């Protein structure tokens, strides 16, 4: 089964180079993105939502024109290992998710998804083989329509200089920038 235009082995190499290692989640994500793309008309502009910040954003960025940087990919962290691809303006699209009812006989995938064994005890080769052979058979797919507030670009409004740090920031964030309001990650 192809992943985008790649064979599974080619995608494995692409993932290793982009993600740092052949993460099961990105490999699974490859099947998820391909499944979703096939459920959409070919000639439309597509946006994407990943429902987790883990692994799936990389699969989407590797296989579609949607990236975090161009704003066509949004991460809405619902904690579910699921993604959707949808037509940019109307929001009509498909959502692909892990279907627990389809995991019978997929011991390693189940162990991985439900974190039943510590990573160090994972049978990695078997897990990757199960993902390769299982493909989309462990996935569910449904039609969705994205809420209007999630469509199009996020409007940032006017930008001005923060009176505390002096850097440009969106005025909508408050009288000073979010970092100066205490949200800076730096000590
Ligand atoms: Zn500031």
């Amino acid at each position: 089964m192809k992943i985008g235009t790649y064979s599974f082995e080619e995608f494995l190499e692409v993932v290793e180079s982009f993600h740092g290692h052949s993460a099961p989640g990105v490999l699974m994500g490859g099947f998820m993105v391909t499944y979703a793309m096939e459920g959409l008309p070919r000639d439309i502009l597509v946006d994407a939502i990943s429902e987790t910040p883990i692994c799936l954003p990389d699969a989407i960025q590797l296989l579609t024109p949607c990236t975090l940087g161009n704003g066509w990919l949004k991460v809405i962290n619902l904690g579910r290992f699921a993604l959707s691809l949808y037509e940019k303006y109307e929001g009509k699209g498909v959502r692909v998710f892990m279907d627990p009812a389809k995991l019978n006989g997929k011991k390693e995938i189940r162990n991985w998804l439900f974190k039943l064994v510590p990573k160090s005890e994972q049978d990695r080769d078997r897990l990757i083989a199960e993902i390769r052979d299982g493909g989309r058979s462990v996935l569910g797919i449904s039609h969705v329509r994205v809420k209007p507030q999630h469509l199009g670009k996020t409007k940032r409004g006017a930008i001005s200089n923060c009176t505390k740090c002096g850097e440009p920031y969106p005025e909508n964030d408050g009288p000073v920038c979010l970092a100066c309001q205490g949200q800076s990650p730096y000590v």
Side-chain angles (χ1 to χ4, degrees):
M1 207 184 294
K2 285 266 188 190
I3 295 183
T5 57
Y6 302 110
S7 69
F8 187 83
E9 280 65 32
E10 286 166 346
F11 189 61
L12 204 61
E13 281 180 30
V14 172
V15 171
E16 273 169 14
S17 132
F18 184 72
H19 187 84
H21 63 106
S22 52
V26 188
L27 300 173
M28 196 73 246
F31 284 112
M32 296 172 84
V33 172
T34 306
Y35 200 6
M37 285 194 303
E38 286 178 15
L40 291 173
R42 287 208 171 274
D43 49 351
I44 58 167
L45 288 173
V46 168
D47 276 5
I49 289 173
S50 174
E51 297 184 20
T52 170
I54 298 164
C55 285
L56 289 187
D58 283 0
I60 293 167
Q61 294 184 111
L62 284 170
L63 295 167
T64 76
C66 308
T67 74
L68 286 168
N70 69 17
W72 301 351
L73 163 61
K74 293 189 181 84
V75 175
I76 298 176
N77 189 2
L78 305 174
R80 300 189 292 191
F81 202 75
L83 57 84
S84 62
L85 299 182
Y86 53 94
E87 190 280 323
K88 192 184 268 298
Y89 302 106
E90 296 293 323
K92 274 189 182 170
V94 286
R95 176 175 182 270
V96 177
F97 54 95
M98 298 296 301
D99 187 344
K102 296 180 177 172
L103 291 180
N104 287 336
K106 303 285 193 296
K107 182 164 155 272
E108 298 303 327
I109 295 180
R110 181 184 291 279
N111 285 347
W112 160 72
L113 185 64
F114 289 91
K115 300 190 191 301
L116 300 179
V117 295
K119 231 177 189 172
S120 54
E121 290 168 33
Q122 233 172 35
D123 187 340
R124 253 193 110 66
D125 291 344
R126 229 185 110 185
L127 172 57
I128 287 175
E130 270 187 15
I131 292 172
R132 183 194 60 216
D133 300 339
R136 65 181 61 168
S137 72
V138 298
L139 302 174
I141 190 164
S142 64
H143 290 273
V144 289
R145 181 133 193 203
V146 177
K147 289 179 183 169
Q149 68 258 38
H150 294 296
L151 300 176
K153 290 255 181 248
T154 314
K155 290 200 172 62
R156 289 199 304 167
I159 306 291
S160 62
N161 287 337
C162 173
T163 52
K164 223 169 163 189
C165 67
E167 292 183 34
Y169 81 106
E171 279 176 16
N172 285 342
D173 288 349
V176 293
C177 80
L178 291 178
C180 293
Q181 288 176 48
Q183 292 191 35
S184 169
Y186 313 115
V187 292

